Amino acid sequence: SMKLNRDLASVDPIPPSGMARAQAIMQSGALFRYGEFGSERAESTLLEVDFAAYVGRRYAVALNSCGCSLFIALKCLGVEPGDKVLVNAFTLAPVPGAVAHAAAQAVFVESTEDLLIDLDDLKVKAQSSEAKVLLLSHMRGHTADLDAVLAICNELGIKVIEDCAHTMGGKWNGQFTGTFGAIGCFSSQTYKHMNSGEGGILVTDDDDIAAKAILYSGSYMLYRQHIARPADDVFEKYKYQIPNCSMRMSNLAAATARPQIDLLPERTLIWNERHDRLAQKLGQIQNIILPKRLPGESYVASSIQFRVMGLNDELFKHFLALTAECGVKLKWFGNVEPVGFTSTYLDWKYSNGGQMLPRTTKIMKQLCDMRIPLSLTLEECDVIVQIIAQSLAAVHET
């Protein structure tokens, strides 16, 4: 039978210029993000300038992870312990983790079959919870109708944080994700669109949010070393009020990430070509359903999701075992026990408080997820689809 001879978890090397820059930083020993006397321009500072320019926002703050950028975003919007924060239920553990980090309470909103936030449930939960913030994950690169989301939130006085861990370089109606809400948060974790091992970037156009984020990130009194920042008088308002949470990205991580900004357009073409080849062929298999995309969405598909219909838990596990034997390791959101990076709102006992979302639960039971390495060939895409098709056929015969 067919076999895929490659690891779906493989990643591309860091660009040579990033490696050279990291080498130079190690040579100097100046790995920390600030210089005591402020003579050098730190790599993390330059990453902030470049990334702000890339997405077209005034300010950017480079952080240790997207998860801690979400935490800081919540704090910058004034979220206090015990406050309610709306979160779309289809997301990953760092998102409710950030809410818990801010000692707030997550109110989960249902997902649609197309893996987007359910706008009707959003309206209901927004009114019943009286939450003042929506933490919106563009989960796995599926972007909701952001005009509709903002219309609901603006009407109810709700501020929006966009979790763009899976949409760096993605757009809604030609405008970058992360520039619709008050704050956008991006990831440079290894499997994301830019790889610095771990990392996050917070972007905003708001002076007060930017100053607070820089102080929270751990600037001490060296905030003038930031370039993509508001004026000194904004910091004067907050510098004795905001705790230092030591979360700013190191120079080493920033050096590896920075040259990758320029690679995003090229990477987008490569990923999307592979995603679309997989999607087009998977869509022809009986009992497999792919999420429909909205016309306004431009995606950067570093992974693909599809639902497999008509299998109980036991048969689903059998199907996954068969594809894995052939080298195609699929993730499944329906597992009773969370595995690896994959968990659902039912697993986050610290956050859930007994909330039940029947629609999301049903969708998760059917949902598969697969990484798309940049180095995957179109021929390998076809092999993957054949393996999935034959495995599913074999399971339906049992």
Side-chain angles (χ1 to χ4, degrees):
S1 72
M2 317 263 330
K3 187 138 172 61
L4 179 72
N5 295 310
R6 82 134 59 237
D7 182 1
L8 287 171
S10 62
V11 284
D12 273 23
I14 300 301
S17 62
M19 286 202 252
R21 193 72 199 103
Q23 186 85 40
I25 290 168
M26 288 192 280
Q27 194 73 48
S28 75
L31 277 64
F32 190 57
R33 54 199 180 258
Y34 299 107
E36 181 110 49
F37 305 109
S39 53
E40 65 286 328
R41 296 222 144 161
E43 205 67 23
S44 29
T45 302
L46 297 173
L47 174 67
E48 291 165 343
V49 173
D50 291 352
F51 195 79
Y54 169 73
V55 294
R57 287 231 122 164
R58 290 168 68 200
Y59 308 121
V61 187
L63 297 149
N64 284 333
S65 68
C66 188
C68 70
S69 71
L70 295 172
F71 159 71
I72 286 179
L74 291 165
K75 295 305 294 175
C76 289
L77 293 183
V79 170
E80 295 291 329
D83 284 359
K84 303 275 204 302
V85 175
L86 296 158
V87 179
N88 44 314
F90 180 44
T91 187
L92 290 168
V95 177
V99 177
H101 193 171
Q105 288 184 300
V107 176
F108 292 112
V109 179
E110 286 273 24
S111 303
T112 69
E113 295 184 342
D114 298 317
L115 309 181
L116 304 174
I117 191 167
D118 182 317
L119 297 179
D120 295 327
D121 198 45
L122 174 62
K123 279 179 211 162
V124 171
K125 301 259 168 80
Q127 283 163 325
S128 64
S129 70
E130 297 183 347
K132 289 281 166 272
V133 175
L134 164 64
L135 178 37
L136 177 67
S137 278
H138 306 313
M139 173 64 171
R140 282 291 185 257
H142 300 277
T143 307
D145 179 336
L146 292 181
D147 302 318
V149 171
L150 284 171
I152 293 167
C153 291
N154 291 341
E155 192 185 328
L156 296 168
I158 294 170
K159 296 195 177 90
V160 177
I161 299 167
E162 291 178 76
D163 163 26
C164 304
H166 306 145
T167 59
M168 187 186 286
K171 294 176 180 171
W172 174 252
N173 285 338
Q175 180 184 333
F176 278 116
T177 60
T179 65
F180 288 84
I183 301 173
C185 295
F186 296 84
S187 174
S188 60
Q189 201 182 52
T190 287
Y191 294 110
K192 306 300 188 293
H193 301 164
M194 206 159 80
N195 169 16
S196 69
E198 182 68 273
I201 306 172
L202 179 155
V203 299
T204 186
D205 276 341
D206 183 287
D207 289 358
D208 292 271
I209 291 171
K212 288 181 192 175
I214 287 168
L215 291 164
Y216 274 121
S217 81
S219 65
Y220 304 85
M221 291 303 140
L222 300 172
Y223 51 80
R224 287 186 190 86
Q225 290 183 30
H226 286 247
I227 301 169
R229 68 171 174 93
D232 287 0
D233 60 344
V234 189
F235 288 89
E236 288 300 325
K237 287 196 276 189
Y238 300 113
K239 69 184 194 184
Y240 301 116
Q241 315 303 327
I242 301 277
N244 173 334
C245 294
S246 292
M247 290 185 171
R248 191 149 174 260
M249 187 186 281
S250 77
N251 278 335
L252 212 47
T256 58
R258 229 179 111 212
Q260 296 177 56
I261 297 175
D262 291 341
L263 300 177
L264 286 167
E266 179 196 343
R267 285 180 173 177
T268 300
L269 290 173
I270 295 170
W271 266 318
N272 287 359
E273 191 182 20
R274 277 127 192 88
H275 170 275
D276 295 351
R277 176 91 159 226
L278 289 162
Q280 188 250 326
K281 300 205 165 188
L282 283 170
Q284 295 166 4
I285 301 173
Q286 205 181 348
N287 294 318
I288 287 187
I289 297 180
L290 282 98
K292 288 190 283 298
R293 301 250 180 197
L294 296 173
E297 179 190 22
S298 309
Y299 50 86
V300 183
S302 55
S303 66
I304 187 165
Q305 292 69 45
F306 56 91
R307 288 187 298 138
V308 181
M309 315 306 282
L311 300 181
N312 62 22
D313 278 17
E314 194 186 341
L315 290 176
F316 218 115
K317 284 181 177 161
H318 184 38
F319 162 65
L320 295 169
L322 290 176
T323 63
E325 269 168 38
C326 299
V328 179
K329 291 193 177 71
L330 299 172
K331 300 181 175 69
W332 176 39
F333 281 94
N335 221 336
V336 180
E337 284 292 312
V339 176
F341 297 110
T342 308
S343 57
T344 74
Y345 81 95
L346 292 166
D347 303 313
W348 308 322
K349 304 286 186 232
Y350 55 84
S351 199
N352 184 359
Q355 296 175 67
M356 283 307 292
L357 294 97
R359 217 175 145 184
T360 302
T361 304
K362 190 177 162 213
I363 292 161
M364 294 298 121
K365 275 284 174 210
Q366 304 158 338
L367 191 64
C368 285
D369 178 26
M370 190 190 91
R371 288 198 200 288
I372 302 174
L374 278 167
S375 52
L376 194 70
T377 67
L378 292 172
E379 294 68 42
E380 286 170 329
C381 290
D382 296 344
V383 170
I384 288 168
V385 175
Q386 285 173 278
I387 288 168
I388 289 171
Q390 76 188 22
S391 302
L392 194 53
V395 168
H396 276 295
E397 279 158 24
T398 52

